[in-house]
Every structure is written in structure tokens, then in C-alpha cells.
Amino acid sequence: MSLDAKTISVLADRVQHAQDNVHTITKLTDEHPSMSIEDGYAVQEELLRRWTARGDRLVGRKAGLTSKAKMIQMGVDVPSFGMLLASYARPENGAIEMDQLLHPKIEAEIAFVTKDELQGDVTIEQVMAATDYVIPAVEVIDSRYENFKFDLPSVIADNSSSARYVTGGRPRNPREVDLRTIGVAIEKNGEIQALGASAAVLNHPAKAIAMLVKHLADRGQSLPAGAFVMTGGITEAIPVSRGDNVVARFQDMGSVSFRFA
Ligand code: 0L1
Ligand code: MG
């Protein structure tokens, strides 16, 4: 870490204010060029303390920037992790309130729900064995940075742009589907916006979980049983506007739909 605890707290204030009051900020590294990825995660941890103090609940984690399409779109070359809160969840076929968002984009992702704790260096096989089910999900990301422009320390401090998520379709036993070849189509107002296959996520979405578990282990933490984990957008993220109807279709897993109101 390069920043002291006081500065981490000031940066958490800034990000929290932007998240709560739906306004943009300039990237944190403009003022603190020495800010590291570790500092970004320290801001995330400070935000979690604040969210839980006001009654929110950590339900799981997200891996972001796990596909080449996403890395190229955002100009980075390593994944980032974030926290998923109970307050981010929205029901399938419902409406997501646009006035609480700045410039949202959607990502079609395969989500895992664990049945056993995962800790340390784990293999894809160990992730699969510890998985209760996999389920189609759409993440709504909404960077608090101007024009969605940031670097890794800044985006990590903003909880990896996480804002909302919707699950749907059919939960599947991970052994009954080939998790590398799930085809995905994202439609907006009936028109295809992006197509992809799940191997785009690190060759196998379970790899994103293994990387997350290693990330947690490096900080003395584990991924508990019952965690909900989103493994990252399979395609590039798609910008959305008020009134848009969204459907993400997942081969053999059903679809997730909702609208922006
Ligand atoms: O979930 C993601 O892949 C996004 C991670 C943060 C970067 C972004 O806002 O695109
Ligand atoms: Mg995502």
C-alpha cells in the first residue's frame, strides 16, 4: 500500500458520496498518482465497513475484466474483483430505476453459487466440486468516473463499477453443462447487440472463481459456502438508456430479462 489510512478513508468518502448521490468524480489517481491496486482494495474494504454499518449485506463477489473483449474495451490487462451487496439485486422481469444510475452498461455473465468454502490455491475442478449451481446473470455496471474512464486502482476503489444485478433462467448443475461453450446473445429492444461463448472468460468461467479465491487468500480471507459469484462479462459491455428492454439469452440455461425505467 502506498496511501495511509486517513487518505483511504477520505477516498472512500469521495466514492461513497458519488455512489449515494449519483454523480461522477475524476479518477482518484489524478490526485494520488502513487495509488496502487492494493490501495484500491483498501478503499473497497472501507466501503464494505460503511455499507454493513448501515444495514446492507455482502452476498457475494464479482470478478470483472475477465474476458479479452472487456480488457480491450477498458484498456487493462488483469481482472479486478468487487463486492456484491444485497441492495444491488433486482428481480427478473422487473424495472431498474434509471434515475439512480449515471451511464449504465450491461454484461451477460455466468454466476456460481457455492456449497462449500473455498480457500487458498484452488483448481477449476475444486471450484466445480464446491459449486451448488450455476445461473445466468446480468450485471449492470455504472462507473462513478467521468466518461467511464479510469485505471485499475481507481476502478477497484469504485467496487469495480458494480451497481445492480439480475439473475434468471434455469439454475444448472455445473456438471450437466459444458461451461466453456455456453453461447450468449444480448438483445436490446429486440435487436442483437453482442454474441459470445463462455470460454471468453479466462477459457473457463470457473477460472475466475479460482483467481478470486487466490485474491481473497492473499488477504487472509476465503470464499464462504453459499456465496454468489459473478464471473465477468462474456462480451463487451453494452450501454443502455431509459426505456430499453434487455434480454440476455444463455444456451441451455434460459434467459434473463428486465427493463430500464
Ligand atoms: O464487471 C466488469 O467486468 C467491470 C469491471 C470494471 C470495469 C468496467 O467498469 O468496465
Ligand atoms: Mg461484470
Side-chain angles (χ1 to χ4, degrees), residues 62 107 109 139 141 232-233:
K62 64 170 277 185
E107 299 182 328
E109 310 196 12
E139 183 180 24
I141 54 170

Side-chain angles (χ1 to χ4, degrees), residues 117-132:
E117 184 184 27
L118 281 164
Q119 201 163 21
D121 268 314
V122 294
T123 61
I124 287 179
E125 264 315 302
Q126 286 171 308
V127 172
M128 298 286 275
T131 299
D132 193 4

Side-chain angles (χ1 to χ4, degrees), residues 62 64-65 70 74 80 107 139 141 148 150 155 160-161:
K62 64 170 277 185
L65 303 167
K70 277 289 310 186
M74 304 320 298
S80 68
E107 299 182 328
E139 183 180 24
I141 54 170
F148 245 100
F150 45 68
V155 71
S160 289
S161 306

Side-chain angles (χ1 to χ4, degrees), residues 15 19 28 35-45 47 51 65 78-83 145 150-162 215 219:
V15 173
Q19 292 176 344
L28 304 183
M35 183 180 176
S36 65
I37 286 177
E38 275 318 303
D39 292 322
Y41 284 117
V43 175
Q44 254 190 42
E45 288 290 339
L47 287 170
W51 293 325
L65 303 167
V78 288
S80 68
F81 302 101
M83 315 210 182
Y145 298 112
F150 45 68
D151 45 29
L152 267 177
S154 300
V155 71
I156 288 166
D158 183 26
N159 198 22
S160 289
S161 306
S162 203
H215 161 85
R219 289 155 184 82

Side-chain angles (χ1 to χ4, degrees), residues 164-209:
R164 304 282 182 269
Y165 59 84
V166 182
T167 56
R170 278 190 298 146
R172 298 295 308 260
N173 178 333
R175 306 243 171 242
E176 287 173 1
V177 283
D178 180 353
L179 284 178
R180 290 163 308 173
T181 58
I182 304 291
V184 164
I186 303 179
E187 283 174 25
K188 199 169 75 175
N189 305 321
E191 288 192 6
I192 299 282
Q193 305 292 311
L195 298 167
S198 51
V201 173
L202 300 167
N203 294 333
H204 193 303
K207 174 80 180 158
I209 311 255

